Amino acid sequence: MKIASDARHAYGYDDLPGLMSLMTGDEKHGPAATSTLDVLWVLYDRVLRVTPERQDDPARDRFLLSKGHGPMAYYAVLAAKGFVPVDWLPGFGSYDSPLGHHPDRLLVPGAEIGSGSLGHGLPIAVGSALGLRAQGLHDPAVWVLIGDAELDEGSNHEAIAFAGPAGLERLHTVVVDNSSASHSRPGGITARFEAAGWSAVSVDGRDHDALYAAFTVAHPGRPHVVVARVEPKNA
């Protein structure tokens, strides 16, 4: 697929594989990237109230990528939506490229956090939602994307346990479940969140209409989690 480098080009979902193909090199973490592709597209195309022109607007929605390894899908979506130039993609992971193997919020336009050790994104999202509420900013939504393997980290369970009783209604979590977690949970992932007072939905992570419906479920007074099931990582 030939991808134009003109930032004015209108990109759609069908362009994303071509955009991702521009990013080459080692350590791409391909399965980690492709597992998030549909979730990212539906969020940026239909849900998140943020644009390149509004990326510094205090009233914008915040999206935090905690599952930061293998960010090719994230960079492809940011390029498709005009946050970063398409011309940056071929340099992915190179010494002088702003597009590293983990996003850097100081280098990547539109990135709210820098990722690294798994398990930090959800606690940061909880803090972001608390901070917005403390400032009287009740309209912006905070979204965080985590992988199911991150739920092996205790920091996430502390965040889950806090957010429900705190009534962080503007907090939204998407768990991309590609069967990477080392420790199973009786009742599944949704049961863990529900036990802490969250609204929880589990859907096919490749079905765009199902994802959109799950992302837009009303959940007054409670944080909301969507578990997006995709094919197992090692399938």
Side-chain angles (χ1 to χ4, degrees):
M1 178 186 298
K2 180 176 176 56
I3 297 295
S5 60
D6 188 342
R8 295 168 296 178
H9 179 83
Y11 294 101
Y13 174 77
D14 289 341
D15 293 312
L16 295 180
L19 291 171
M20 290 179 67
S21 73
L22 297 176
M23 291 175 272
T24 59
D26 297 329
E27 300 298 326
K28 292 193 298 183
H29 289 284
T34 55
S35 69
T36 65
L37 183 62
D38 297 276
V39 164
L40 287 167
W41 179 255
V42 174
L43 283 173
Y44 273 92
D45 192 54
R46 301 173 64 178
V47 178
L48 292 173
R49 295 171 301 172
V50 62
T51 63
E53 296 74 26
R54 292 189 61 199
Q55 58 186 300
D56 296 319
D57 184 350
R60 73 190 183 281
D61 287 346
R62 275 76 167 166
F63 173 78
L64 284 60
L65 182 68
S66 184
K67 185 182 168 73
H69 58 293
M72 292 190 302
Y74 182 52
Y75 293 153
V77 171
L78 289 180
K81 292 301 180 181
F83 288 89
V84 303
V86 172
D87 289 345
W88 284 10
L89 300 180
F92 164 67
S94 61
Y95 175 76
D96 58 352
S97 173
L99 304 182
H101 292 295
H102 277 265
D104 185 328
R105 69 179 182 85
L106 300 178
L107 299 177
V108 181
E112 295 281 355
I113 62 171
S115 66
S117 298
L118 295 178
H120 289 156
L122 182 52
I124 294 173
V126 168
S128 297
L130 281 171
L132 290 169
R133 187 164 73 178
Q135 296 175 70
L137 296 171
H138 301 293
D139 195 39
V142 177
W143 289 82
V144 57
L145 190 159
I146 70 175
D148 63 312
E150 291 190 73
L151 294 176
D152 290 341
E153 303 291 341
S155 55
N156 276 321
H157 293 277
E158 293 178 1
I160 293 167
F162 177 87
L168 295 181
E169 181 178 340
R170 302 306 291 157
L171 174 63
H172 307 77
T173 299
V174 184
V175 181
V176 173
D177 181 7
N178 65 352
S179 302
S180 294
S182 299
H183 308 291
S184 61
R185 290 163 188 83
I189 295 172
T190 55
R192 171 66 188 93
F193 283 85
E194 288 171 335
W198 288 58
S199 165
V201 179
S202 180
V203 297
D204 180 347
R206 300 302 188 190
D207 185 328
H208 290 196
D209 289 338
L211 285 167
Y212 177 74
F215 292 160
T216 55
V217 165
H219 51 96
R222 296 190 292 167
H224 182 56
V225 63
V226 175
V227 178
R229 306 181 310 274
V230 297
E231 59 279 358
K233 177 180 178 181
N234 297 318

